């Protein structure tokens, strides 16, 4: 699915929106169990739908879409998870290149968490491979990597400076030879820097400029490139090694691991900004305060652990909320995940959502909301 299709799914509202998110396995023997697990879940959801009071025509449409998507799954080429999202008018499936937990939802919206995390993780980035004799450029999205081939890339290093060792056995000849060797080293260094500078300039001509860039090469070449590049602010990481003869799939895996690591470092910086705001009136911390300020439209940026789930109970007018319900209290209705409601609320009021690693925000009860303006009560 394209990013726009995912955005459309997240924003879609309709009766009987069914979301199924299940972990899958890339390798045998664990992979052999995935079809059985999916088949069982699909059967359970079909029974759940048949018990609904909505029109039989809509229920039939949803079940047909669900069965159609299930039949299309290729379990022999799975990633880390699969999501199925169907309604009477929508039928979509997506593979997730990151671990997911099981989620089943029948609501008036699709379960957005993993879809939004997918958008966060699968941004376009570029890899500039700085090798001894050539410079190659790759475009990446998630763990997919493809080489860019055009009039500018790959670039081949043209070694036009050559000399022959002196055959004269004299002190004069030896000194001249040493000078030649010194000059050759300096000239090679100058030519290499010119080579790198040319590559840096070529990147500015295209859409690559301003996008995240990962550098790959040996330590010396990476250091030299960083000294002269005008794109240093866009460099998200450096992968050391010689990758000239490496299979693309193997190289792509190393690149994706490095990109994910750069995301994690960026998330740590996001969380550190919360530390600076604690005690001010510019951040809400914990599920209660975050829900209240989000509902009031004060949310600028929601930071939440990816798998944080909190059930809650709402009054019939949806004005009052509490996290624990009293036995036999029918005045409140349970929702299974208040965090999902908060995410949808923040987005609907033009706020931003950032997902961070599970367990990384224990000091904030897993969730915090930067505010547009001070919360004065």
């Amino acid at each position: 699915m394209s990013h726009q299709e995912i955005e459309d799914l997240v924003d879609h509202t309709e009766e009987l929106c069914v979301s199924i998110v299940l972990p899958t396995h890339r390798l045998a023997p664990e992979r052999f169990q995935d079809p059985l697990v999916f088949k069982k879940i699909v059967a359970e959801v079909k029974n759940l739908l048949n018990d609904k009071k909505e029109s039989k025509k809509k229920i039939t449409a949803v079940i047909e879409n669900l069965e159609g998507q299930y039949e299309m799954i290729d379990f022999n080429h799975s990633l880390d998870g699969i999501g199925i999202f169907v309604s009477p008018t929508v039928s979509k499936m997506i593979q997730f290149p990151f671990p997911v937990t099981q989620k089943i939802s029948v609501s008036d919206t699709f379960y957005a968490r993993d879809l939004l995390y997918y958008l966060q993780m699968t941004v376009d980035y570029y890899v500039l491979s700085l090798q001894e004799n050539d410079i190659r450029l790759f475009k990446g999205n998630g763990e997919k990597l493809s080489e860019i081939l055009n009039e500018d890339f790959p670039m081949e290093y043209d070694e036009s400076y050559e000399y022959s060792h002196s055959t004269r056995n004299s002190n004069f000849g030896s000194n001249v030879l040493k000078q030649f060797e010194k000059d050759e080293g300096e000239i090679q260094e100058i030519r290499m820097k010119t080579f790198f500078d040319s590559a840096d300039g070529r990147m500015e001509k295209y859409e690559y400029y301003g996008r995240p860039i990962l550098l790959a090469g040996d330590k010396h070449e990476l250091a030299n490139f960083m000294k002269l590049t005008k794109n240093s602010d866009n460099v998200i990481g450096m992968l050391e090694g010689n990758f000239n003869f490496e299979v693309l799939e193997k190289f792509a895996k190393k690149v994706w691991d490095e990109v994910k690591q750069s995301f994690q470092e960026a998330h740590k910086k996001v969380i550190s900004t919360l530390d600076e705001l604690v005690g001010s009136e510019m951040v809400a911390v914990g599920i209660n305060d975050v829900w209240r300020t989000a509902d009031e439209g004060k949310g600028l940026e929601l930071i939440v652990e990816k798998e944080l789930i909190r059930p809650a109970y709402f009054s019939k007018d949806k004005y009052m909320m509490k996290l624990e319900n009293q036995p036999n209290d029918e005045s409140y209705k349970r929702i299974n995940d208040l965090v999902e409601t908060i995410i949808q609320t923040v987005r609907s009021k033009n706020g931003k959502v950032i997902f961070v690693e599970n367990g990384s925000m224990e000091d904030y009860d897993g969730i915090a909301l930067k505010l547009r303006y001070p919360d004065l009560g």
Side-chain angles (χ1 to χ4, degrees):
M1 277 193 287
S2 68
H3 278 209
Q4 185 56 56
E5 287 177 302
I6 293 174
E7 291 279 5
D8 291 342
L9 271 183
V10 173
D11 295 336
H12 186 77
T13 58
E14 186 181 8
E15 288 183 352
L16 297 179
C17 287
V18 175
S19 309
I20 300 176
V21 176
L22 291 176
T24 51
H25 301 85
R26 298 176 185 241
L27 302 174
E30 293 84 358
R31 187 179 65 204
F32 299 147
Q33 298 298 316
D34 292 342
L36 300 176
V37 173
F38 254 89
K39 187 175 183 179
K40 179 181 178 181
I41 294 299
V42 168
E44 291 178 0
V45 172
K46 287 166 62 176
N47 290 334
L48 179 63
L49 288 168
N50 284 322
D51 290 337
K52 292 287 183 180
K53 296 180 180 180
E54 281 78 2
S55 76
K56 292 298 181 182
K57 183 178 180 180
K58 289 183 178 181
I59 291 173
T60 300
V62 175
I63 290 177
E64 288 178 351
N65 286 338
L66 178 59
E67 291 176 337
Q69 288 299 332
Y70 172 71
E71 293 297 327
M72 292 173 59
I73 298 175
D74 182 3
F75 289 103
N76 291 322
H77 299 89
S78 296
L79 300 181
D80 300 311
I82 291 178
I84 294 178
F85 302 88
V86 294
S87 73
T89 62
V90 173
S91 181
K92 298 288 184 179
M93 179 177 62
I94 186 171
Q95 290 207 46
F96 297 112
F98 49 79
V100 298
T101 59
Q102 178 176 313
K103 304 176 188 75
I104 301 170
S105 170
V106 180
S107 180
D108 56 359
T109 61
F110 291 118
Y111 195 86
R113 188 87 57 94
D114 295 291
L115 293 170
L116 291 173
Y117 188 69
Y118 181 92
L119 291 179
Q120 178 177 304
M121 292 291 286
T122 56
V123 297
D124 288 339
Y125 61 89
Y126 293 88
V127 182
L128 193 65
S129 176
L130 307 167
Q131 303 303 320
E132 185 177 354
N133 296 315
D134 61 35
I135 295 178
R136 299 162 67 188
L137 184 66
F138 300 83
K139 182 176 181 179
N141 185 282
E143 59 184 27
K144 295 179 181 179
L145 196 67
S146 59
E147 184 169 6
I148 291 173
L149 305 172
N150 56 27
E151 67 274 15
D152 290 316
F153 294 99
M155 293 176 60
E156 294 185 2
Y157 179 66
D158 180 18
E159 177 57 88
S160 58
Y161 181 82
E162 298 178 357
Y163 75 98
S164 299
H165 289 278
S166 173
T167 57
R168 289 184 295 176
N169 187 17
S170 66
N171 290 335
F172 176 77
S174 175
N175 290 337
V176 170
L177 178 59
K178 290 179 181 178
Q179 184 62 45
F180 279 175
E181 291 174 343
K182 178 181 178 182
D183 290 346
E184 186 214 17
E186 291 177 349
I187 291 173
Q188 270 189 326
E189 192 76 15
I190 292 171
R191 284 178 175 160
M192 187 59 69
K193 288 180 179 179
T194 302
F195 186 47
F196 285 173
D197 189 57
S198 176
D200 194 52
R202 292 185 187 193
M203 291 194 71
E204 294 185 7
K205 293 168 52 179
Y206 299 96
E207 61 170 331
Y208 330 130
Y209 188 66
R211 300 289 183 88
I213 302 170
L214 180 74
L215 302 180
D218 69 34
K219 189 173 183 179
H220 178 69
E221 288 160 347
L222 294 174
N224 280 341
F225 186 84
M226 285 301 295
K227 289 178 182 177
L228 60 86
T229 180
K230 301 179 183 67
N231 300 307
S232 59
D233 290 343
N234 301 321
V235 175
I236 60 173
M238 289 181 277
L239 187 62
E240 292 188 20
N242 188 327
F243 308 103
N244 257 345
F245 305 104
E246 194 152 288
V247 176
L248 181 62
E249 288 77 10
K250 186 177 179 181
F251 181 46
K253 185 179 184 307
K254 293 179 179 179
V255 165
W256 178 232
D257 288 343
E258 192 69 26
V259 171
K260 287 190 293 185
Q261 182 64 36
S262 75
F263 287 161
Q264 291 178 6
E265 293 301 319
H267 295 163
K268 290 178 182 178
K269 293 179 181 178
V270 169
I271 295 172
S272 69
T273 63
L274 295 176
D275 298 335
E276 300 168 4
L277 293 175
V278 171
S280 73
E281 304 297 333
M282 292 300 295
V283 62
V285 174
I287 195 75
N288 277 298
D289 286 345
V290 169
W291 172 74
R292 177 179 58 82
T293 51
D295 192 58
E296 293 170 352
K298 297 178 181 179
L300 177 65
E301 191 172 81
L302 178 69
I303 301 97
V304 59
E305 293 181 6
K306 177 183 175 292
E307 297 291 351
L308 182 69
I309 295 176
R310 291 283 189 275
Y313 300 85
F314 278 85
S315 59
K316 292 181 179 180
D317 59 8
K318 297 185 178 180
Y319 183 73
M320 300 293 293
M321 184 276 292
K322 55 186 180 180
L323 298 178
E324 295 183 3
N325 194 26
Q326 298 300 317
N328 303 318
D329 185 354
E330 297 181 356
S331 62
Y332 281 78
K333 180 180 179 181
R334 175 188 167 100
I335 65 167
N336 293 326
D337 189 2
L338 177 58
V339 177
E340 182 77 3
T341 300
I342 292 172
I343 290 170
Q344 296 280 18
T345 300
V346 170
R347 280 176 50 85
S348 70
K349 298 178 185 294
N350 299 316
K352 182 180 180 182
V353 180
I354 298 176
F355 298 99
V356 297
E357 287 67 40
N358 301 326
S360 62
M361 291 182 61
E362 291 182 355
D363 293 340
Y364 303 95
D365 193 26
I367 189 168
L369 182 65
K370 293 183 181 179
L371 306 182
R372 302 177 191 276
Y373 46 86
D375 181 21
L376 302 179

